[in-house]
Amino acid sequence: MIATIYWDKNAVIILDQNELPAQIKYIRCEDYHALVHAIKTLQVRGAPLIGVAAAYGLALAVWKSSQENSALEDLYNLAEQDFAASRPTAVNLFWAIRRMRGVFDQCKGQDRDSIARRLLNEADKILAEDVSINQSIGDIGAHLFKEKVRIMTICNAGALATGGYGTALGVIRSIHQNGNLQQVWACETRPVLQGARLTVWELSQDQIPVTLITDSMAAYVMSRDEVDVVIVGADRIAVNGDTANKIGTYGLAVLAAYHKIPFYVAAPMSTVDFSMNSGKMIPIEERHHDEVRQIRGTYITVPEVKVFNPAFDVTPGELVSAVITETGIIRPPFFRTDI
Ligand code: MRU
């Protein structure tokens, strides 16, 4: 499976997802600013993967610094702020920053080299854990299906969005391995086309049968009784099951409910934000207007038209049949904090 991120001799190497599927191009990030830039510009994207990238970025900040003691702490604080400000919606980013902070704080009083090694070790652990968590999500999710299914998904919640294997696409991979996958419907996912560019490419690489549709075709495909289940990833899940994911997910959930099709969210437990009781509290990123005005750099409209470009929406928990996590399948009332 293709590597999305790794450490190589004093630098973090990332797969540039903006270049896919035209070319497989890796970028060598020599300092943490390059990783912050990569997250902001979607060279690295997907909730779990931006958490992993921030973890490596924080390790890199210390690795490349010549500071010690309080100057090192100042630099670490700045790097942490830069990553925290890179993208607001996916909670995995903040989860990874918190986990790295715990290690940094434990290292107080040690020399820079030892701290850098501990941080790098933690980032490696976060990456490895992510892959095995996704395999568990996949295997647990696949048990839901005992016969051939046709699955609709949106965006890319695959190996490309994670350390490897994927969440929603991880479940799809495991169903395929069990021989129970008929085919995947991939919604193209305007404006940035993660479905068309990334999901189709990723599934094709593994010879998983996939059909591409534009987002506006989903209702018609469902009405023809050609979808058995919708499975999507998540950027943040509130305690009541409200789920932030790529813009268009909420629409799919409404359509699925109308057509009586189960709607599953596949995500690691680190995507659940126990500080948020409802999806109303989830910050929704708004991105550059040219993402809507253009397709791959070419204007498709009047260049100065007013635009609204939220990158995510929130699907109400009542439309979510269940959340597939590495610890099991969680159904309403979802994540209780009072037990
Ligand atoms: O803007 P993106 O491409 O980072 O959005 C990604 C998604 O919405 C994914 O579905 C989500 O992060 C889950 S990835 C396992």
Side-chain angles (χ1 to χ4, degrees):
M1 197 164 299
I2 191 149
T4 47
I5 191 165
Y6 59 96
W7 178 267
D8 177 61
K9 297 187 203 82
N10 307 323
V12 180
I13 315 295
I14 54 159
L15 176 65
D16 184 350
Q17 301 198 21
N18 286 331
E19 296 296 331
L20 286 171
Q23 59 168 329
I24 295 175
K25 182 181 151 206
Y26 283 91
I27 299 175
R28 196 173 170 83
C29 299
E30 297 280 356
D31 63 34
Y32 88 82
H33 298 285
L35 270 164
V36 172
H37 174 79
I39 293 173
K40 285 183 175 167
T41 58
L42 308 184
Q43 288 171 327
V44 160
R45 35 110 356 240
L49 186 59
I50 60 180
V52 174
Y56 275 111
L58 289 167
L60 185 65
V62 174
W63 194 276
K64 285 293 172 76
S65 145
S66 51
Q67 317 286 356
E68 295 282 349
N69 305 323
S70 65
L72 184 65
E73 174 129 27
D74 289 346
L75 173 117
Y76 190 88
N77 292 343
L78 194 65
E80 198 181 63
Q81 280 166 27
D82 286 346
F83 280 109
S86 61
R87 292 194 79 189
T89 303
V91 75
N92 315 59
L93 174 69
F94 304 93
W95 171 88
I97 288 172
R98 252 196 331 275
R99 185 159 154 178
M100 296 300 281
R101 167 58 71 171
V103 172
F104 185 76
D105 286 350
Q106 274 168 21
C107 292
K108 284 235 162 79
Q110 297 179 15
D111 60 82
R112 186 204 58 95
D113 263 21
S114 320
I115 301 175
R117 275 175 211 291
R118 285 281 309 277
L119 290 171
L120 179 57
N121 187 39
E122 194 67 14
D124 285 340
K125 263 168 62 182
I126 290 175
L127 174 60
E129 283 170 18
D130 188 55
V131 180
S132 82
I133 284 170
N134 292 336
Q135 277 159 347
S136 302
I137 291 172
D139 294 344
I140 289 171
H143 276 108
L144 287 166
F145 306 99
K146 307 291 177 218
E147 49 193 47
K148 291 251 182 210
V149 279
R150 298 152 306 169
I151 303 172
M152 186 172 280
T153 191
I154 188 166
C155 195
N156 172 267
L160 291 168
T162 61
Y165 205 69
T167 55
L169 295 196
V171 176
I172 287 171
R173 278 199 166 85
S174 296
I175 295 172
H176 183 61
Q177 281 158 20
N178 292 352
N180 283 336
L181 182 72
Q182 189 165 327
Q183 74 139 343
V184 177
W185 292 101
C187 296
E188 68 169 348
T189 321
R190 267 286 279 155
V192 186
L193 303 173
Q194 290 94 331
R197 294 189 300 106
L198 307 177
T199 290
V200 167
W201 181 78
E202 184 177 326
L203 295 178
S204 306
Q205 292 289 303
D206 281 2
Q207 279 86 46
I208 296 176
V210 57
T211 303
L212 175 65
I213 54 170
T214 67
D215 303 330
S216 51
M217 295 171 189
Y220 180 61
V221 175
M222 288 184 189
S223 76
R224 288 164 50 108
D225 202 12
E226 296 200 55
V227 182
D228 300 304
V229 57
V230 178
I231 308 180
V232 300
D235 285 82
R236 197 185 292 239
I237 305 174
V239 171
N240 66 351
D242 289 357
T243 297
N245 190 49
K246 180 53 56 196
I247 191 75
T249 304
Y250 178 21
L252 278 191
V254 172
L255 293 175
Y258 181 80
H259 291 97
K260 305 197 174 20
I261 296 168
F263 181 92
Y264 289 106
V265 171
M269 284 301 293
S270 56
T271 305
V272 182
D273 187 341
F274 286 96
S275 75
M276 294 193 174
N277 287 326
S278 140
K280 290 198 173 55
M281 299 164 78
I282 300 176
I284 298 295
E285 176 183 10
E286 283 186 36
R287 293 188 59 82
H288 199 285
H289 293 173
D290 279 347
E291 286 184 354
V292 176
R293 294 187 186 115
Q294 301 179 346
I295 293 188
R296 310 300 284 157
T298 302
Y299 279 102
I300 53 155
T301 184
V302 178
E304 54 280 359
V305 67
K306 202 172 142 202
V307 160
F308 177 47
N309 185 19
F312 301 96
D313 57 27
V314 178
T315 299
E318 64 196 86
L319 296 181
V320 176
S321 310
V323 182
I324 305 166
T325 77
E326 72 275 25
T327 59
I329 293 171
I330 297 166
R331 296 180 189 273
F334 295 114
F335 308 96
R336 294 178 52 190
T337 50
D338 57 339
I339 46 175

